[in-house]
Amino acid sequence: MTASSSSRFPSPASWERTGGRGNTRHLQVNGLRIKYTGPGNSDADAACLKADHPVPADVGVYYFEVTVIDQGRQGFIGVGFCAPEVKWDRLPGWETHSYGYHGDDGNAFGGCGKGKVYGPTFGTGDVIGVILNRAEKTLSYTKNGIELGIAFENVAEERLFPAVGLRTPGEEVVANFGATPFRGNRDAILAEASQRIQARIEAVPLPRSGKAASVLGELIFNHLTHHGHWETAAAVAHDMLGNTMEVSPTRVQEIKERRRVYDLVVHGQMKDAMALTEVTAPGTLQSHPKVAFRLQCQNFVELVREGQDEAAMAFGRAVLAHAAKTADDNELLQDSLSLLAYDDPQTSPCGHLLGTAHRAELASALNSAMLAQMGGQEESALERLYRHAVVLQQELTRGGDPAAALIDMKAVLSMADLSG
């Protein structure tokens, strides 16, 4: 999930300073700990505190917890959310635009003094978690880490503040806004919410015929040919496009050559890969100096892998030292040279340079450079659409769309690796 979906407040989180307004004079506040010290004779003696910041606009699911240190005389403790205009002298849930789960009877109160049966009672030692799902407009609770289900639906207020209310002497609670580990499994709660959003997206039917299906087939066909999978592309052309597109013999040969270059890089044969690149797409390395330098560095790395340290040092002095032109080049050069300092370069901080994943990424970069040199696009149309979708999601999240904050684009599009 996205980082913006995490439960957080501007740090440090605290209760709003009330200046003793109304019944808040009955509350003794010490950091995130609150104790009721008033008379507690009737509901008129209740007091409520809100957090000093509302739930951030870019958070899809917000979670916080309240631990009951002491249930006091009667345990009239309410935990939930309040809009900024809600009175200080009422427990959460008793006023419009407020929601609360109360410890003395286990009822859930949503904007009125009459509650509905919801969950178990709670008291001394219990930890109550509160889950505000802004994407699905629900409010739920946990007790000691166990989810109790949805308490309120259609929770649509734009600005809601975590809130706690106390009413009888001795009641004492402490809040946790994420500074310490939660009792409930916040990550699992977040993942489940994200999965529900994804399921809704996947449930949208796609046309099985007509123009839309043709466009989808063309995107897949283009992506496969872009990355050298011409046989699979031919099958897509037959099965999805009714042979309206084809991989010509000339294109098959070009794809095969690019695939050979790709495989040479993945298998660590940099010199052969560079030589074949110049045959297949002349001028590629000259017009893409960053990729060319990366290939030269990887040639050095492969010499280190083979234990040819002297040959690697000679190559570094003769070629690499003069080829680095940019700050990125110099950083990669230093990382590559650092491998010589270790008896086992694989376990060094830059050991990833020896890995298959690194070579595959370099092979994809070279493939894109070759395509550009041959007059094509460096990315397939499908990859460009994917990147556009990622940017769109980011913009929606920044704009405060709570559902966007829960979408995992890679999971939705089933494209954990578009480089194929």
Side-chain angles (χ1 to χ4, degrees):
M1 64 205 59
T2 60
S4 65
S5 295
S6 63
S7 175
R8 85 280 193 279
F9 267 0
S11 183
S14 63
W15 296 112
E16 185 174 348
R17 296 181 181 180
T18 66
R21 282 181 285 175
N23 286 348
T24 59
R25 68 186 185 280
H26 298 325
L27 300 177
Q28 183 183 92
V29 182
N30 181 13
L32 295 178
R33 185 179 290 234
I34 307 170
K35 184 175 183 177
Y36 185 89
T37 58
N41 295 322
S42 69
D43 289 344
D45 296 321
C48 175
L49 273 189
K50 309 180 190 76
D52 58 351
H53 289 85
V55 175
D58 63 347
V59 170
V61 173
Y62 187 85
Y63 182 77
F64 78 99
E65 289 182 342
V66 171
T67 299
V68 180
I69 305 301
D70 194 325
Q71 69 187 52
R73 190 174 70 194
Q74 290 177 272
F76 286 179
I77 300 170
V79 181
F81 282 93
C82 292
E85 67 272 17
V86 174
K87 297 178 181 178
W88 301 89
D89 299 343
R90 304 280 282 169
L91 293 186
W94 284 355
E95 292 287 309
T96 303
H97 303 304
S98 73
Y99 306 88
Y101 170 34
H102 293 193
D104 61 305
D105 54 15
N107 286 349
F109 294 76
C112 68
K114 183 178 180 180
K116 64 178 182 180
V117 175
Y118 173 63
T121 61
F122 59 86
T124 302
D126 288 326
V127 180
I128 303 302
V130 195
I131 309 164
L132 176 62
N133 186 326
R134 298 181 67 203
E136 298 177 293
K137 297 183 179 180
T138 63
L139 183 56
S140 308
Y141 291 87
T142 67
K143 178 181 177 181
N144 299 327
I146 299 173
E147 293 187 47
L148 303 179
I150 295 174
F152 306 102
E153 297 180 322
N154 300 315
V155 180
E157 288 82 1
E158 290 187 7
R159 299 181 74 225
L160 285 173
F161 294 71
V164 170
L166 308 176
R167 195 179 89 57
T168 63
E171 295 170 356
E172 186 173 4
V173 300
V174 62
N176 178 12
F177 295 123
T180 60
F182 288 120
R183 177 72 176 274
N185 191 337
R186 184 190 64 185
D187 290 341
I189 293 168
L190 200 57
E192 290 171 2
S194 179
Q195 288 168 6
R196 288 194 297 272
I197 295 294
Q198 181 178 331
R200 284 165 51 190
I201 294 172
E202 292 175 348
V204 177
L206 293 176
R208 297 299 179 185
S209 61
K211 185 177 180 180
S214 175
V215 170
L216 180 60
E218 289 176 15
L219 286 171
I220 297 172
F221 178 87
N222 170 267
H223 183 72
L224 291 169
T225 55
H226 184 97
H227 289 288
H229 306 293
W230 68 271
E231 291 177 312
T232 309
V236 169
H238 178 271
D239 296 340
M240 296 185 69
L241 299 172
N243 291 320
T244 57
M245 300 185 74
E246 65 176 2
V247 187
S248 68
T250 302
R251 188 73 193 281
V252 168
Q253 186 60 34
E254 175 254 303
I255 292 172
K256 284 183 175 180
E257 292 301 307
R258 284 194 291 111
R259 190 68 198 188
R260 282 180 59 198
V261 172
Y262 183 96
D263 290 340
L264 286 169
V265 174
V266 169
H267 289 94
Q269 301 174 50
M270 301 302 145
K271 287 185 177 180
D272 291 341
M274 288 186 281
L276 185 55
T277 294
E278 285 306 297
V279 172
T280 304
T284 297
L285 300 180
Q286 183 178 357
S287 59
H288 293 80
K290 181 176 181 179
V291 174
F293 183 75
R294 291 184 62 189
L295 289 165
Q296 295 285 20
C297 279
Q298 195 62 33
N299 188 52
F300 172 90
V301 169
E302 297 307 318
L303 290 172
V304 174
R305 180 205 304 281
E306 296 167 3
Q308 301 183 46
D309 289 359
E310 291 187 7
M313 287 187 286
F315 178 77
R317 287 192 294 268
V319 178
L320 295 183
H322 308 289
K325 303 299 183 183
T326 67
D328 287 343
D329 289 348
N330 282 306
E331 182 178 355
L332 177 59
L333 176 59
Q334 294 305 315
D335 288 347
S336 301
L337 293 174
S338 72
L339 296 173
L340 290 171
Y342 294 87
D343 293 331
D344 182 7
Q346 296 272 8
T347 60
S348 72
C350 293
H352 66 279
L353 297 175
L354 295 159
T356 301
H358 176 75
R359 294 194 300 275
E361 191 277 325
L362 176 56
S364 292
L366 178 56
N367 180 62
S368 294
M370 292 173 67
L371 280 165
Q373 186 68 17
M374 298 164 75
Q377 297 288 336
E378 293 196 15
E379 293 181 321
S380 71
L382 195 56
E383 288 169 310
R384 294 196 298 276
L385 282 174
Y386 169 71
R387 297 187 192 284
H388 292 165
V390 169
V391 172
L392 177 60
Q393 182 216 11
Q394 292 171 345
E395 290 302 312
L396 286 171
T397 300
R398 275 194 285 268
D401 187 307
L406 293 173
I407 298 173
D408 182 339
M409 291 302 301
K410 288 185 177 181
V412 169
L413 300 178
S414 299
M415 294 178 187
D417 182 6
L418 279 173
S419 64

